[in-house]
Amino acid sequence: MANDDPSLADRMMDGSATAAQEGLERLIGRLEHLVVGQRGLLERLIVALLAGGHVLIEGVPGLAKTRAVRTLARALDLPFRRIQFTPDLLPADLTGTQIYRPATGTFDVRPGPIVTSVLLADEINRAPAKVQSALLEAMQEGQITVGDETIVLPETFWVLATQNPIEHEGTYPLPEAQLDRFLMKLVVSYPDRAAELAMLELPDVAEASHVESWSGDEPALFSPAQVLAFRKRTESVRVAPAIKEYVVDLVRATRDPAAYGLGLAPLLELGASPRATIALIRAARAHAFLSCRDYVTPHDVKTLARDIMRHRILVSYEADAEGLSSDDILGRILDHIPVP
């Protein structure tokens, strides 16, 4: 698909901060035609895209989680596949299988839907652990194994998984090892009253065919090659030593809160891993890039800290008894750790 403003993408790759902001606003504006009242979700999806990290999106049904992922993939001209996770799903349903050819006496590999650029794992917490293990190799290694053959996934491979809150019937908590592979966990809430009214003005908002017709009428804003170029550009955003120390202190405070003068030890069963430190820096760089800056500020870090760490810490039974969530505990840490 052709870019509807080729000069915009060129200016972004040349390092124009104004063009970066213009591109973000145009992309979000495009998405908001179909995803109303979820601007925060859309912005964070783009941050994760630039940082090259997978995203877990949690919310009750009907909050446009699937629609947001589908429309973003089409706006970026990235190949897209959707898998509905169910309790009877098998690993081969994701990765593919071997087909026996009697004429030659050999097996041919038929790749599964996981071989794509944007994979939407819908209701990921409805599938059993063996399916999650099959997805884990792809998320961690960027490749899958079918029989004795290894298939390298596209460089733009990106997993966006949706899940319903675990208290809903028929769902299972994801393994901690897999949760740690997601750059962000985004919690989607109900839209406000004005946004819900605006949804009623959209034609056939519930029909998938409307998404198809909309994407066919509108050319993609950026090509896959340009997406990779933006990621490369994001890596050059500067992070001052004081910001790095701030990020390390935030993450370490979840593991040893007493060392930072926080009485949160009884509320935390497990703190965030060093992967959270790396993820927070990556995401902060992307957020700064989209904010027309070539350097990270404490605001970038604080804006994304909950999204990066809420799924990487495990609260204790005592915290549950007090009605405290991981976001509540992270809020206390953010309020306590001095900002550079």
Side-chain angles (χ1 to χ4, degrees):
M1 289 185 179
N3 191 316
D4 58 359
D5 184 359
S7 63
L8 173 61
D10 293 340
R11 286 185 286 126
M12 287 183 71
M13 286 191 289
D14 288 341
S16 169
T18 302
Q21 182 65 27
E22 183 183 343
L24 169 65
E25 290 300 327
R26 184 170 299 187
L27 180 56
I28 291 180
R30 170 82 66 87
L31 299 176
E32 284 186 316
H33 281 295
L34 286 179
V35 185
V36 179
Q38 298 291 358
R39 185 180 178 91
L41 167 66
L42 299 177
E43 287 183 343
R44 280 162 173 75
L45 286 179
I46 296 170
V47 166
L49 174 73
L50 293 177
H54 308 299
V55 182
L56 178 63
I57 310 170
E58 181 178 281
V60 298
L63 296 182
K65 302 183 297 296
T66 301
R67 184 184 297 275
V69 175
R70 185 191 298 271
T71 53
L72 177 58
R74 293 188 180 281
L76 298 172
D77 199 21
L78 292 172
F80 169 84
R81 298 295 294 271
R82 174 184 176 273
I83 303 174
Q84 179 65 49
F85 278 51
T86 57
D88 61 348
L89 199 68
L90 298 175
D93 294 328
L94 271 69
T95 60
T97 188
Q98 291 182 309
I99 305 297
Y100 180 68
R101 304 296 183 189
T104 60
T106 61
F107 287 90
D108 291 341
V109 172
R110 178 176 293 176
I114 200 171
V115 182
T116 187
S117 287
V118 179
L119 177 69
L120 173 58
D122 220 349
E123 296 188 295
I124 189 174
N125 59 333
R126 292 195 182 277
K130 59 184 178 181
V131 176
Q132 309 298 349
S133 298
L135 183 60
L136 188 59
E137 180 189 7
M139 294 174 62
Q140 182 177 353
E141 306 294 339
Q143 64 182 35
I144 58 171
T145 303
V146 182
D148 58 357
E149 183 171 335
T150 297
I151 301 175
V152 178
L153 298 172
E155 195 174 356
T156 52
F157 178 69
W158 191 32
V159 175
L160 296 112
T162 70
Q163 72 171 19
N164 297 327
I166 60 174
E167 64 266 24
H168 282 227
E169 184 178 356
T171 62
Y172 308 89
L174 297 180
E176 295 296 329
Q178 185 175 7
L179 283 173
D180 203 28
R181 295 314 192 276
F182 285 102
L183 177 76
M184 294 181 179
K185 178 183 177 182
L186 307 179
V187 177
V188 186
S189 58
Y190 290 110
D192 59 28
R193 185 175 185 275
E196 199 157 356
L197 279 171
M199 292 177 189
L200 302 179
E201 303 301 321
L202 294 177
D204 299 327
V205 292
E207 297 295 329
S209 60
H210 182 61
V211 179
E212 297 291 339
S213 63
W214 169 86
S215 62
D217 293 339
E218 296 281 357
L221 280 172
F222 307 115
S223 68
Q226 289 165 340
V227 171
L228 293 176
F230 298 158
R231 285 183 183 177
K232 191 69 175 177
R233 174 63 180 158
T234 300
E235 294 173 1
S236 66
V237 174
R238 293 178 288 112
V239 184
I243 299 293
K244 293 179 181 178
E245 292 182 11
Y246 179 53
V247 169
V248 169
D249 287 339
L250 287 176
V251 176
R252 291 184 66 85
T254 68
R255 295 182 227 144
D256 188 9
Y260 293 87
L262 286 160
L264 299 177
L267 305 178
L268 284 165
E269 192 75 25
L270 180 70
S273 72
R275 188 176 281 113
T277 308
I278 298 170
L280 189 48
I281 290 292
R282 286 168 55 197
R285 279 192 166 113
H287 191 269
F289 176 73
L290 295 177
S291 300
C292 302
R293 284 183 277 103
D294 62 354
Y295 59 91
V296 172
T297 68
H299 173 72
D300 297 315
V301 175
K302 295 190 74 170
T303 298
L304 300 172
R306 288 180 176 85
D307 300 318
I308 298 297
M309 290 194 286
R310 63 165 56 101
H311 58 297
R312 290 185 163 99
I313 67 174
L314 185 62
V315 301
S316 67
Y317 288 112
E318 183 174 336
D320 285 335
E322 295 182 19
L324 296 174
S325 67
S326 58
D327 278 18
D328 296 325
I329 294 173
L330 289 170
R332 295 186 184 183
I333 293 173
L334 287 166
D335 291 340
H336 181 81
I337 301 296
V339 177

